[in-house]
Amino acid sequence: ATYRAITATFAAGHVVVMAHQTGIKASPKLKETFGELSGAAVRLLKVVIENEELEPRDTITPTGSWEDDFDKSVLRLLDDDKPCYILYRLDSMHGESYEWLLLAFTPEASSVKDRMVYAATRSTLKMEFGGGRVKEELFGIQKTDINLDAYKAHLAAADGPAPLTAAELEKLTIAEADKQARTEIGTQTRQSHLHGVSFPIQPDALDQLERLKKKEVMYVQLSIDINNEKVLLESHKQEIKLADLPGLVPDDHPRYHLFLYKHTYEGDYLEQIVFIYSCPGYKSSVKERMLYSSCKAAVVGIAENDLQMEIVKKVCAVQ
């Protein structure tokens, strides 16, 4: 759920720092190969960057439908430590031409330089191939990001309603907590918790936030000591993958998470800080949920104003 909340929110509205074009172009051999892809004889073409040119590598012929061929064709051509592009032919047509997918794979084990070069060259590849032939684009840092299930999930997300914004989720959380509070606490007590409050952040937590700002750590988790009215350092990680993030979210207490999100977005390699407020619904007490909700703005304010940390996105993950 946390992974989906991050990726969906970033897709809905992302702050992008555009990368410079690399100057890398398609080689004569790749251009010749492009000219041979007009028919149905090729299901897939793998493209790599080599000697500062886009070069063709493997091609695979179809053996079944595009769905039948997808995983067995795509996944076996992906290396764990080397980026690549995959042009994958669908069975649908646009006019007289087949439609294609452009898959950009930049594994975490590859070098930062390679990831940035591939990210900045993606638009060139699309232009050289013919942007009108590309129906969809999919980006991944793990093989499971660009398998058949991931592509179908991408299509479902595109056809479905837009994801709730952090503000909408926050409003929903407070409304649910307020509704339950009517039967658990009196009106005067409830109103006092709905006002914004600010608890002091402890020095060790501030130290780790400062390290996060400098990109010395990738993850900081904060909790609230309700009895002593303090914001505490719960945990921090020097290195963490996005896929591991949900395992750090407790299922019985709210938490604040600040995460250095290293990723590729629309061809650009980015390292940006996202703030996540996780709330496990009714597994935590009404008082706890409302205090975390009320303190959230103050915690973000200290990070952004006092520590001068740039937070590009704020996500509310509610069960």
Side-chain angles (χ1 to χ4, degrees):
T2 303
Y3 180 91
R4 292 194 299 271
I6 296 172
T7 53
T9 307
F10 267 75
H14 206 285
V15 179
V16 177
V17 180
M18 295 303 295
H20 296 292
Q21 292 297 312
T22 60
I24 295 173
K25 301 292 184 182
S27 69
K29 184 178 179 181
L30 180 59
K31 291 180 179 180
E32 181 181 346
T33 303
F34 284 163
E36 300 170 354
L37 299 181
S38 58
V42 175
R43 174 66 75 192
L44 174 156
L45 169 65
K46 180 178 179 179
V47 180
V48 299
I49 296 175
E50 191 173 88
N51 297 323
E52 298 188 355
E53 286 188 313
L54 289 161
E55 294 282 2
R57 279 296 172 263
D58 306 84
T59 58
I60 293 179
T61 56
T63 59
S65 70
W66 74 268
E67 291 180 278
D68 293 335
D69 290 344
F70 200 99
D71 283 347
K72 64 183 180 182
S73 299
V74 172
L75 300 184
R76 67 188 179 92
L77 296 183
L78 303 178
D79 297 316
D80 293 333
D81 58 351
K82 296 178 181 178
C84 70
Y85 306 109
I86 299 288
L87 287 164
Y88 188 85
R89 183 181 62 77
L90 301 172
D91 294 333
S92 57
M93 302 191 72
H94 181 70
E96 298 181 355
S97 300
Y98 281 101
E99 295 180 310
W100 292 75
L101 302 180
L102 172 56
L103 310 176
F105 182 60
T106 53
E108 289 183 297
S110 59
S111 69
V112 172
K113 178 182 178 182
D114 282 348
R115 295 200 298 269
M116 295 181 70
V117 169
Y118 271 79
T121 309
R122 179 195 55 80
S123 59
T124 299
L125 172 62
K126 183 178 177 181
M127 179 185 66
E128 297 264 16
F129 179 64
R133 303 168 71 181
V134 177
K135 179 181 180 180
E136 299 279 355
E137 297 179 57
L138 202 61
F139 309 94
I141 60 175
Q142 302 179 49
K143 293 180 180 180
T144 53
D145 294 336
I146 56 173
N147 62 11
L148 181 60
D149 288 342
Y151 176 56
K152 288 184 175 180
H154 166 76
L155 292 178
D159 292 338
L164 293 177
T165 65
E168 289 169 336
L169 284 169
E170 181 74 6
K171 183 178 180 180
L172 177 62
T173 304
I174 294 176
E176 290 177 345
D178 184 58
K179 181 179 179 180
Q180 184 174 344
R182 294 177 188 275
T183 60
E184 296 185 13
I185 55 179
T187 302
Q188 182 176 358
T189 304
R190 183 177 70 252
Q191 289 177 341
S192 69
H193 284 302
L194 287 174
H195 294 294
V197 294
S198 177
F199 294 156
I201 300 180
Q202 296 307 287
D204 58 341
L206 290 172
D207 289 343
Q208 294 304 323
L209 291 175
E210 184 67 34
R211 293 187 66 201
L212 178 68
K213 172 190 168 184
K214 296 177 180 178
K215 301 182 180 180
E216 296 175 358
V217 298
M218 288 186 62
Y219 172 78
V220 175
Q221 183 179 134
L222 303 176
S223 63
I224 294 179
D225 181 344
I226 295 177
N227 293 331
N228 296 308
E229 298 186 346
K230 297 177 181 179
V231 177
L232 307 178
L233 174 67
E234 192 69 26
S235 66
H236 68 280
K237 300 287 184 182
Q238 188 167 349
E239 295 287 340
I240 181 176
K241 296 180 179 179
L242 178 60
D244 298 330
L245 191 58
L248 300 177
V249 179
D251 59 6
D252 54 353
H253 294 288
R255 288 289 185 268
Y256 304 127
H257 315 259
L258 291 99
F259 175 59
L260 181 61
Y261 189 26
K262 299 180 180 180
H263 61 291
T264 300
Y265 180 79
E266 293 189 349
D268 299 308
Y269 178 74
L270 304 170
E271 294 185 355
Q272 299 175 309
I273 296 174
V274 58
F275 175 90
I276 306 164
Y277 163 49
S278 66
C279 182
Y282 296 120
K283 290 184 179 180
S284 59
S285 68
V286 173
K287 179 179 180 181
E288 188 175 38
R289 294 198 303 273
M290 298 180 80
L291 275 178
Y292 270 86
S293 177
S294 297
C295 288
K296 179 176 68 69
V299 172
V300 171
I302 290 174
E304 290 183 323
N305 300 323
D306 296 0
L307 299 179
Q308 296 296 299
M309 179 187 295
E310 183 180 3
I311 299 175
V312 299
K313 205 69 184 177
K314 303 172 184 69
V315 179
C316 183
V318 181
Q319 282 187 312

